[in-house]
């Protein structure tokens, strides 16, 4: 079996919800040993979202949690307790990376900031993913994906027409974007450390990551004073572009006509009048003709017809049809992992392949505190009496305190 690029790297994962756990899932898929650390009293709330109904341990049976945290180990530690903090600092010398997405002041309030971590391991890499960063006027704000999307400026560009009403792009677009940026930052920091022997403190503000995706809008506003325009599904770079309803309940097809030639070829394939008078109303006429022509047609059939002719098109996949998509199936995108508390279901694997290795999910997400003994006794060398003291003090546990899942 080919070696994964991050084998031999250990990550202390203090993240919660989506952005941070998504970053560390990528690191785990790339071969890193990721130790997810949760307090029995302040545990990852993603465990409460969409648990499998009717199970005895719903915190171990959340679809979201098991998607974002597979291939990791679970250690419970209450970092606010002196024994929990002390134990964590015993773990740091064994780790290459510490990553967290707390509010900006939390890690320092726990007396676990970068300077403290460096005392435990001088070349440690710390990645902090506070929503608005650890410096600046808005550093104290709490960040969640939907709010960060508004604050990043992205929402000023999404909407239908110029009515001024923005539309969210989805659930929390900022989360996976920030997660991928954090994973990339870890990789770069590891490369830099290999060259220089020095660690790093990375202040990765999720808002700034998302703002970087619309750099051209900031440039246009700065240089020419342009205000963002809500174009719906249109794009000024192409001859015409839109998303059109097809047969079935909420079934849609996205199409881009790069040139008039694309439009004329598509019109011939679909039996549509290709003639256009020329002028600003042409796009509206194309939209009307396509909408009428596709209303009773299967989106997959039309997609394959247009794509086969070299016309950029794509079916808008909902949560049902995406699992049936033949392209994803051909690329072995979906995997099913055995889980002791859940039935198997399709989960997405990493979207890229490497020449040197083919990353593949290996294990379900850990049960709460599943690896406490392995890490505390095996890695840190704690005695049975020390581990029992941590348990008595509520520093560790194998179930959340006051789970409130249901």
């Amino acid at each position: 079996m080919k070696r994964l690029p991050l084998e031999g790297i250990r990550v202390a994962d203090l993240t919660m919800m989506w952005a941070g756990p998504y970053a560390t899932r990528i690191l785990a898929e790339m071969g890193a040993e990721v130790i997810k650390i949760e307090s029995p009293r302040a545990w990852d709330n993603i465990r409460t979202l969409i648990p499998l109904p009717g199970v005895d341990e719903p915190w171990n049976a959340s679809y979201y949690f098991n998607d974002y945290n597979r291939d990791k180990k679970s250690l419970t530690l209450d970092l606010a307790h002196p024994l929990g903090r002390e134990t964590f600092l015993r773990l740091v010398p064994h780790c290459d990376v510490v990553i967290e997405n707390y509010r900006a002041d939390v890690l320092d309030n726990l007396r676990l900031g970068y300077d403290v971590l460096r005392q435990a391991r001088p070349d440690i890499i710390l990645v902090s993913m506070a929503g608005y960063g650890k410096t600046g006027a808005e550093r104290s704000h709490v960040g969640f994906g939907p709010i960060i999307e508004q604050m990043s400026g992205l929402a000023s560009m999404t909407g239908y027409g110029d009515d001024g009403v923005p539309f969210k792009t989805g659930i929390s677009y900022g989360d996976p974007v920030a997660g991928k940026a954090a994973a990339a930052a870890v990789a770069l920091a590891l490369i830099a450390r290999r060259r220089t022997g020095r660690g790093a403190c990375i202040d990765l503000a999720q808002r700034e990551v998302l703002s970087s995706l619309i750099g051209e809008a900031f440039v246009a506003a700065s240089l020419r004073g342009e205000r963002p325009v809500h174009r719906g599904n249109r794009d000024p770079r192409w001859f015409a572009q839109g998303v059109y309803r097809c047969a079935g309940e909420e079934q849609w097809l996205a199409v881009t006509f790069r040139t008039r030639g694309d439009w004329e070829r598509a019109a011939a394939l679909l039996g549509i009048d290709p003639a256009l008078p020329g002028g600003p109303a042409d796009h509206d006429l194309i939209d009307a003709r396509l909408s009428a022509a596709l209303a009773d047609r299967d989106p997959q059939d039309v997609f394959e017809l247009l794509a086969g002719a070299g016309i950029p098109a794509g079916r808008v996949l909902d949560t049902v049809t995406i699992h049936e998509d033949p392209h994803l199936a051909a690329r072995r995108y979906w995997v099913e992992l055995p889980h002791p508390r859940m039935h198997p279901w399709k989960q997405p694997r990493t979207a890229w392949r490497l020449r040197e290795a083919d990353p593949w999910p290996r294990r379900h997400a850990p049960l709460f505190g599943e690896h406490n003994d392995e890490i505390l006794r095996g890695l840190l060398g704690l005695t049975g009496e020390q581990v029992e003291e941590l348990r008595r003090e509520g520093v560790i546990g194998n179930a959340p305190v006051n789970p409130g899942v249901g």
Side-chain angles (χ1 to χ4, degrees), residues 44-113:
D44 191 346
N45 283 335
I46 204 72
R47 290 182 179 272
T48 68
L49 298 183
I50 315 185
L52 189 68
V55 296
D56 293 333
E57 300 174 5
W59 54 86
N60 283 326
S62 162
Y63 287 100
Y64 278 129
F65 180 85
N66 281 282
D67 185 8
Y68 305 154
N69 292 282
R70 63 178 184 237
D71 289 326
K72 303 178 187 180
K73 296 180 179 180
S74 173
L75 170 66
T76 52
L77 277 182
D78 184 352
L79 301 182
H81 192 288
L83 286 176
R85 179 180 178 275
E86 175 187 324
T87 305
F88 179 71
L89 288 175
R90 294 183 65 162
L91 175 64
V92 171
H94 299 275
C95 295
D96 300 277
V97 179
V98 174
I99 181 169
E100 53 92 4
N101 63 344
Y102 298 141
R103 194 179 64 240
D105 60 341
V106 169
L107 202 65
D108 290 325
N109 290 344
L110 292 169
R111 295 182 296 122
L112 291 171

Coordinates of all heavy atoms in Angstrom, one line a residue, residues 44-113:
D44 N -18.7 18.6 21.4 CA -19.0 19.0 20.0 C -20.5 19.0 19.8 O -21.0 17.9 19.7 CB -18.2 18.2 19.0 CG -18.3 18.8 17.6 OD1 -19.1 19.7 17.4 OD2 -17.5 18.4 16.7
N45 N -21.1 20.1 19.6 CA -22.6 20.1 19.4 C -23.0 19.5 18.1 O -24.2 19.3 17.9 CB -23.1 21.6 19.5 CG -23.2 22.0 21.0 OD1 -23.3 21.2 21.9 ND2 -23.1 23.3 21.2
I46 N -22.1 19.3 17.2 CA -22.5 18.6 15.9 C -23.1 17.2 16.2 O -23.8 16.7 15.4 CB -21.4 18.6 14.9 CG1 -21.9 18.5 13.5 CG2 -20.4 17.5 15.2 CD1 -22.5 19.8 13.0
R47 N -22.7 16.7 17.4 CA -23.2 15.4 17.7 C -24.8 15.4 17.9 O -25.4 14.3 17.9 CB -22.6 14.9 19.1 CG -21.1 14.5 18.9 CD -20.6 14.0 20.3 NE -19.2 13.6 20.3 CZ -18.8 12.4 20.0 NH1 -19.7 11.5 19.7 NH2 -17.5 12.1 20.0
T48 N -25.3 16.6 18.2 CA -26.8 16.7 18.4 C -27.6 16.8 17.1 O -28.8 16.7 17.2 CB -27.1 17.9 19.3 OG1 -26.8 19.1 18.5 CG2 -26.3 17.9 20.5
L49 N -26.9 17.0 16.0 CA -27.6 17.2 14.7 C -27.9 16.0 13.9 O -27.0 15.2 13.6 CB -26.9 18.2 13.9 CG -26.7 19.6 14.5 CD1 -26.0 20.5 13.5 CD2 -28.0 20.2 14.9
I50 N -29.2 15.7 13.7 CA -29.6 14.5 12.9 C -29.0 13.2 13.4 O -28.3 12.5 12.7 CB -29.3 14.7 11.4 CG1 -29.7 16.1 10.9 CG2 -30.1 13.7 10.6 CD1 -29.5 16.3 9.4
P51 N -29.3 12.9 14.7 CA -28.9 11.6 15.2 C -29.8 10.5 14.6 O -31.0 10.8 14.3 CB -29.0 11.7 16.7 CG -30.1 12.7 16.9 CD -30.0 13.7 15.7
L52 N -29.3 9.3 14.5 CA -30.2 8.2 14.2 C -31.3 8.0 15.2 O -31.0 7.9 16.4 CB -29.3 6.9 14.1 CG -30.0 5.7 13.5 CD1 -30.3 5.8 12.0 CD2 -29.1 4.5 13.7
P53 N -32.5 8.0 14.9 CA -33.6 7.9 15.9 C -33.7 6.6 16.6 O -33.3 5.6 16.0 CB -34.9 8.2 15.1 CG -34.5 7.8 13.7 CD -33.1 8.1 13.5
G54 N -34.1 6.6 17.9 CA -34.3 5.4 18.6 C -33.1 4.7 19.1 O -33.2 3.4 19.3
V55 N -32.0 5.3 19.2 CA -30.8 4.6 19.7 C -30.4 5.1 21.1 O -30.9 6.1 21.6 CB -29.6 4.9 18.8 CG1 -29.8 4.4 17.4 CG2 -29.3 6.4 18.7
D56 N -29.7 4.2 21.8 CA -29.4 4.5 23.2 C -28.3 5.6 23.4 O -28.3 6.2 24.4 CB -28.9 3.2 23.9 CG -30.0 2.1 24.0 OD1 -31.1 2.5 24.1 OD2 -29.6 0.9 24.0
E57 N -27.4 5.7 22.4 CA -26.4 6.7 22.5 C -26.4 7.7 21.3 O -25.6 7.6 20.4 CB -25.0 6.0 22.6 CG -24.8 5.1 23.7 CD -23.5 4.3 23.7 OE1 -22.7 4.6 22.7 OE2 -23.3 3.4 24.5
P58 N -27.4 8.6 21.3 CA -27.6 9.4 20.1 C -26.3 10.3 19.8 O -26.1 10.6 18.6 CB -28.8 10.3 20.4 CG -28.9 10.2 21.9 CD -28.4 8.8 22.3
W59 N -25.5 10.6 20.8 CA -24.3 11.4 20.6 C -23.3 10.7 19.8 O -22.4 11.3 19.2 CB -23.7 11.9 21.9 CG -23.5 10.7 22.9 CD1 -22.4 10.0 22.9 CD2 -24.4 10.3 23.9 NE1 -22.5 9.0 23.9 CE2 -23.7 9.2 24.5 CE3 -25.6 10.6 24.3 CZ2 -24.3 8.5 25.6 CZ3 -26.2 9.9 25.4 CH2 -25.5 8.9 26.0
N60 N -23.4 9.4 19.7 CA -22.5 8.6 18.9 C -23.1 8.2 17.5 O -22.5 7.4 16.8 CB -22.1 7.3 19.6 CG -21.1 7.5 20.7 OD1 -20.2 8.3 20.5 ND2 -21.2 6.7 21.8
A61 N -24.3 8.7 17.3 CA -25.1 8.2 16.1 C -25.6 9.4 15.3 O -26.6 9.3 14.7 CB -26.2 7.3 16.5
S62 N -24.8 10.5 15.2 CA -25.2 11.6 14.4 C -24.5 11.5 13.0 O -23.3 11.2 12.9 CB -24.6 12.9 15.0 OG -24.6 14.0 14.1
Y63 N -25.4 11.7 12.0 CA -24.8 11.6 10.6 C -23.8 12.6 10.4 O -22.7 12.4 9.8 CB -26.0 11.7 9.6 CG -26.9 10.5 9.6 CD1 -28.1 10.5 10.2 CD2 -26.5 9.4 8.8 CE1 -28.9 9.4 10.2 CE2 -27.3 8.3 8.8 CZ -28.6 8.3 9.4 OH -29.4 7.2 9.4
Y64 N -24.1 13.9 10.8 CA -23.1 15.0 10.6 C -21.8 14.7 11.3 O -20.7 14.8 10.7 CB -23.6 16.3 11.1 CG -24.6 17.0 10.1 CD1 -25.8 17.4 10.5 CD2 -24.2 17.2 8.8 CE1 -26.7 18.1 9.6 CE2 -25.0 17.9 7.9 CZ -26.3 18.3 8.3 OH -27.1 19.0 7.5
F65 N -21.8 14.3 12.6 CA -20.6 14.0 13.3 C -19.8 12.9 12.7 O -18.6 13.0 12.5 CB -20.9 13.7 14.8 CG -19.7 13.4 15.6 CD1 -19.0 14.5 16.2 CD2 -19.2 12.1 15.7 CE1 -17.9 14.2 16.9 CE2 -18.1 11.9 16.5 CZ -17.4 12.9 17.1
N66 N -20.5 11.9 12.3 CA -19.8 10.7 11.7 C -19.2 11.0 10.3 O -18.3 10.4 9.9 CB -20.7 9.5 11.7 CG -20.7 8.9 13.1 OD1 -19.8 8.2 13.5 ND2 -21.8 9.1 13.8
D67 N -19.8 12.0 9.6 CA -19.2 12.4 8.3 C -17.9 13.2 8.6 O -16.9 13.0 7.9 CB -20.2 13.2 7.6 CG -19.8 13.6 6.1 OD1 -18.7 13.1 5.7 OD2 -20.5 14.3 5.5
Y68 N -18.0 14.2 9.5 CA -16.9 15.2 9.6 C -15.7 14.6 10.5 O -14.7 15.2 10.5 CB -17.4 16.5 10.3 CG -18.5 17.1 9.6 CD1 -19.4 18.0 10.3 CD2 -18.7 17.0 8.2 CE1 -20.4 18.6 9.7 CE2 -19.8 17.6 7.6 CZ -20.7 18.4 8.3 OH -21.7 19.0 7.7
N69 N -15.9 13.5 11.2 CA -14.9 13.1 12.1 C -14.4 11.6 11.9 O -13.8 11.1 12.8 CB -15.5 13.2 13.5 CG -15.6 14.7 13.9 OD1 -14.7 15.4 14.2 ND2 -16.9 15.2 13.9
R70 N -14.7 11.1 10.8 CA -14.2 9.7 10.6 C -12.6 9.7 10.5 O -12.0 10.8 10.3 CB -14.8 9.1 9.3 CG -14.4 9.9 8.0 CD -15.0 9.2 6.8 NE -14.5 9.9 5.6 CZ -15.4 10.4 4.7 NH1 -16.7 10.4 4.9 NH2 -14.9 11.0 3.6
D71 N -12.1 8.6 10.7 CA -10.6 8.4 10.7 C -9.9 9.1 11.8 O -8.7 9.3 11.8 CB -10.0 8.8 9.3 CG -10.3 7.9 8.2 OD1 -10.5 6.7 8.4 OD2 -10.5 8.4 7.1
K72 N -10.6 9.5 12.9 CA -10.0 10.2 14.0 C -10.1 9.3 15.3 O -10.8 8.3 15.3 CB -10.7 11.5 14.3 CG -10.7 12.5 13.1 CD -11.4 13.7 13.4 CE -11.6 14.6 12.2 NZ -12.3 15.9 12.5
K73 N -9.3 9.7 16.3 CA -9.5 9.1 17.6 C -10.1 10.1 18.5 O -10.1 11.3 18.3 CB -8.1 8.7 18.1 CG -7.4 7.6 17.3 CD -6.0 7.2 17.9 CE -5.4 6.1 17.0 NZ -4.1 5.7 17.5
S74 N -10.8 9.6 19.6 CA -11.5 10.4 20.5 C -10.8 10.4 21.9 O -10.7 9.3 22.5 CB -12.9 10.0 20.6 OG -13.6 10.7 21.7
L75 N -10.5 11.5 22.4 CA -10.0 11.7 23.8 C -10.8 12.8 24.4 O -11.0 13.8 23.9 CB -8.5 12.1 23.8 CG -7.9 12.6 25.1 CD1 -7.9 11.4 26.1 CD2 -6.5 13.2 24.9
T76 N -11.3 12.5 25.6 CA -12.1 13.5 26.4 C -11.2 14.1 27.4 O -10.5 13.4 28.1 CB -13.4 12.9 27.0 OG1 -13.0 11.7 27.8 CG2 -14.4 12.4 26.0
L77 N -11.2 15.4 27.4 CA -10.5 16.2 28.4 C -11.2 17.5 28.7 O -11.5 18.2 27.7 CB -9.1 16.5 27.9 CG -7.9 15.5 28.0 CD1 -6.7 16.1 27.4 CD2 -7.7 15.1 29.4
D78 N -11.4 17.8 29.9 CA -12.0 19.1 30.3 C -10.8 20.1 30.5 O -10.1 20.1 31.5 CB -12.8 19.0 31.6 CG -13.5 20.3 31.9 OD1 -13.2 21.4 31.3 OD2 -14.3 20.3 32.9
L79 N -10.5 20.9 29.5 CA -9.4 21.8 29.5 C -9.5 22.9 30.5 O -8.5 23.5 30.9 CB -9.1 22.4 28.1 CG -8.9 21.4 27.0 CD1 -8.6 22.1 25.7 CD2 -7.7 20.4 27.3
A80 N -10.7 23.2 31.0 CA -11.0 24.2 32.0 C -10.6 23.7 33.4 O -10.4 24.5 34.3 CB -12.4 24.7 32.0
H81 N -10.4 22.4 33.5 CA -10.0 21.8 34.8 C -8.5 21.7 34.9 O -7.9 21.4 33.9 CB -10.6 20.4 34.9 CG -10.5 19.8 36.3 ND1 -9.3 19.4 36.8 CD2 -11.5 19.5 37.3 CE1 -9.5 18.9 38.0 NE2 -10.8 19.0 38.3
P82 N -7.9 22.1 36.0 CA -6.4 22.0 36.1 C -5.8 20.7 35.7 O -4.8 20.7 35.0 CB -6.2 22.3 37.6 CG -7.4 23.1 38.0 CD -8.5 22.6 37.3
L83 N -6.5 19.6 36.0 CA -5.9 18.3 35.6 C -6.1 18.1 34.1 O -5.2 17.5 33.5 CB -6.6 17.2 36.4 CG -6.2 17.0 37.8 CD1 -7.1 15.9 38.5 CD2 -4.8 16.7 38.0
G84 N -7.1 18.6 33.5 CA -7.3 18.5 32.1 C -6.3 19.3 31.3 O -5.7 18.9 30.3
R85 N -6.1 20.5 31.8 CA -5.0 21.4 31.2 C -3.7 20.7 31.3 O -2.9 20.7 30.3 CB -5.0 22.8 31.8 CG -4.0 23.7 31.3 CD -4.1 25.1 32.0 NE -3.0 26.0 31.5 CZ -1.8 26.0 31.9 NH1 -1.4 25.2 32.9 NH2 -0.9 26.8 31.4
E86 N -3.3 20.2 32.5 CA -2.0 19.6 32.7 C -1.9 18.4 31.8 O -0.8 18.2 31.2 CB -1.9 19.2 34.2 CG -0.7 18.4 34.5 CD -0.7 17.8 35.9 OE1 -1.3 18.5 36.8 OE2 -0.3 16.7 36.1
T87 N -2.9 17.6 31.6 CA -2.9 16.4 30.8 C -2.7 16.8 29.3 O -1.9 16.2 28.6 CB -4.1 15.5 31.0 OG1 -4.3 15.2 32.3 CG2 -4.0 14.3 30.1
F88 N -3.4 17.8 28.9 CA -3.3 18.3 27.5 C -1.8 18.8 27.2 O -1.3 18.5 26.2 CB -4.2 19.4 27.2 CG -4.1 20.0 25.8 CD1 -4.6 19.2 24.8 CD2 -3.6 21.2 25.6 CE1 -4.5 19.7 23.5 CE2 -3.5 21.7 24.3 CZ -3.9 20.9 23.2
L89 N -1.2 19.5 28.2 CA 0.2 19.9 28.0 C 1.1 18.7 28.0 O 2.2 18.9 27.4 CB 0.6 20.9 29.1 CG -0.1 22.3 28.9 CD1 0.2 23.2 30.1 CD2 0.3 23.0 27.6
R90 N 0.8 17.6 28.6 CA 1.6 16.4 28.4 C 1.4 15.8 27.1 O 2.3 15.1 26.6 CB 1.2 15.4 29.5 CG 1.5 15.8 30.9 CD 1.2 14.8 31.9 NE 2.0 13.6 31.8 CZ 2.1 12.7 32.8 NH1 1.5 12.8 34.0 NH2 2.9 11.6 32.6
L91 N 0.3 16.0 26.4 CA 0.1 15.5 25.1 C 0.8 16.3 24.0 O 1.2 15.8 23.0 CB -1.4 15.5 24.8 CG -1.9 15.1 23.4 CD1 -1.5 13.6 23.1 CD2 -3.4 15.3 23.2
V92 N 0.9 17.6 24.2 CA 1.4 18.5 23.2 C 2.8 18.1 22.6 O 3.0 18.2 21.4 CB 1.4 20.0 23.7 CG1 2.1 20.9 22.7 CG2 0.0 20.5 23.9
P93 N 3.7 17.7 23.5 CA 5.0 17.3 23.0 C 5.0 16.1 22.0 O 5.9 16.0 21.2 CB 5.8 16.9 24.2 CG 5.2 17.7 25.3 CD 3.7 17.7 25.0
H94 N 3.9 15.4 22.0 CA 3.7 14.2 21.1 C 3.0 14.6 19.8 O 2.8 13.8 19.0 CB 2.9 13.1 21.8 CG 3.6 12.6 23.1 ND1 4.5 11.6 23.0 CD2 3.4 12.9 24.4 CE1 4.9 11.3 24.3 NE2 4.3 12.1 25.1
C95 N 2.6 15.9 19.7 CA 1.8 16.4 18.6 C 2.7 17.3 17.7 O 3.5 18.0 18.2 CB 0.6 17.1 19.0 SG -0.6 16.0 19.9
D96 N 2.3 17.3 16.4 CA 3.0 18.3 15.5 C 2.1 19.5 15.3 O 2.6 20.6 15.0 CB 3.1 17.6 14.1 CG 4.0 16.4 14.2 OD1 5.3 16.5 14.2 OD2 3.5 15.2 14.3
V97 N 0.8 19.3 15.4 CA -0.2 20.4 15.1 C -1.2 20.4 16.2 O -1.7 19.4 16.7 CB -0.9 20.2 13.8 CG1 -1.9 21.3 13.5 CG2 0.2 20.0 12.7
V98 N -1.6 21.6 16.6 CA -2.8 21.9 17.5 C -3.7 22.8 16.6 O -3.3 23.8 16.1 CB -2.5 22.5 18.8 CG1 -3.8 22.9 19.6 CG2 -1.6 21.6 19.7
I99 N -5.0 22.4 16.5 CA -5.9 23.2 15.7 C -7.2 23.5 16.5 O -7.7 22.5 17.1 CB -6.2 22.6 14.3 CG1 -7.1 23.4 13.5 CG2 -6.7 21.2 14.5 CD1 -7.2 23.0 12.0
E100 N -7.7 24.7 16.5 CA -8.9 25.0 17.2 C -9.7 26.1 16.5 O -9.1 26.8 15.7 CB -8.5 25.5 18.6 CG -7.5 26.7 18.7 CD -8.2 28.1 18.7 OE1 -9.4 28.1 18.8 OE2 -7.4 29.0 18.7
N101 N -11.0 26.0 16.7 CA -11.9 27.1 16.1 C -12.8 27.7 17.2 O -13.9 28.0 16.9 CB -12.7 26.5 14.9 CG -13.7 25.4 15.3 OD1 -13.5 24.8 16.4 ND2 -14.6 25.1 14.5
Y102 N -12.2 27.9 18.4 CA -12.9 28.6 19.4 C -13.1 30.1 19.1 O -12.5 30.6 18.1 CB -12.1 28.5 20.7 CG -11.8 27.2 21.3 CD1 -10.6 26.9 21.9 CD2 -12.8 26.2 21.3 CE1 -10.3 25.6 22.4 CE2 -12.6 24.9 21.9 CZ -11.3 24.7 22.4 OH -11.0 23.4 23.0
R103 N -13.9 30.8 19.9 CA -13.9 32.2 19.9 C -12.5 32.7 20.1 O -11.7 32.0 20.8 CB -14.9 32.8 20.9 CG -15.2 34.2 20.8 CD -16.2 34.7 21.9 NE -15.6 34.5 23.2 CZ -16.0 33.8 24.2 NH1 -17.1 33.0 24.0 NH2 -15.4 33.7 25.3
A104 N -12.1 33.9 19.7 CA -10.7 34.3 19.6 C -10.0 34.3 21.0 O -8.8 34.1 21.0 CB -10.7 35.7 19.0
D105 N -10.7 34.5 22.1 CA -10.1 34.7 23.4 C -10.0 33.4 24.2 O -9.4 33.3 25.2 CB -10.8 35.7 24.2 CG -12.2 35.4 24.5 OD1 -12.8 34.6 23.7 OD2 -12.8 36.0 25.4
V106 N -10.7 32.3 23.7 CA -10.9 31.1 24.5 C -9.6 30.4 24.8 O -9.3 30.1 26.0 CB -11.9 30.1 23.9 CG1 -11.9 28.8 24.6 CG2 -13.3 30.7 23.9
L107 N -8.7 30.2 23.8 CA -7.5 29.4 24.1 C -6.6 30.2 25.1 O -6.0 29.6 26.0 CB -6.8 29.2 22.8 CG -5.8 28.0 22.8 CD1 -6.5 26.7 23.0 CD2 -5.0 28.0 21.5
D108 N -6.5 31.5 24.9 CA -5.7 32.3 25.9 C -6.3 32.2 27.3 O -5.6 32.2 28.3 CB -5.6 33.7 25.4 CG -4.7 33.8 24.2 OD1 -3.7 33.0 24.0 OD2 -5.0 34.7 23.3
N109 N -7.7 32.3 27.4 CA -8.3 32.2 28.7 C -8.1 30.9 29.4 O -8.1 30.8 30.6 CB -9.8 32.4 28.5 CG -10.2 33.9 28.1 OD1 -9.3 34.8 28.3 ND2 -11.4 34.1 27.7
L110 N -7.9 29.8 28.6 CA -7.5 28.5 29.1 C -6.0 28.4 29.5 O -5.6 27.4 30.0 CB -7.9 27.4 28.1 CG -9.4 27.2 27.9 CD1 -9.5 26.3 26.7 CD2 -10.1 26.6 29.1
R111 N -5.3 29.5 29.2 CA -3.9 29.5 29.4 C -3.2 28.5 28.6 O -2.2 27.8 29.1 CB -3.5 29.4 30.9 CG -4.0 30.5 31.8 CD -3.6 30.4 33.2 NE -4.3 29.2 33.8 CZ -3.7 28.2 34.4 NH1 -2.3 28.2 34.5 NH2 -4.3 27.2 35.0
L112 N -3.6 28.4 27.3 CA -3.1 27.4 26.4 C -2.7 28.1 25.1 O -2.8 27.5 24.0 CB -4.1 26.3 26.2 CG -4.3 25.3 27.3 CD1 -5.4 24.3 27.1 CD2 -3.0 24.5 27.6
G113 N -2.4 29.4 25.1 CA -2.0 30.1 23.9 C -0.7 29.6 23.3 O -0.1 28.7 23.9

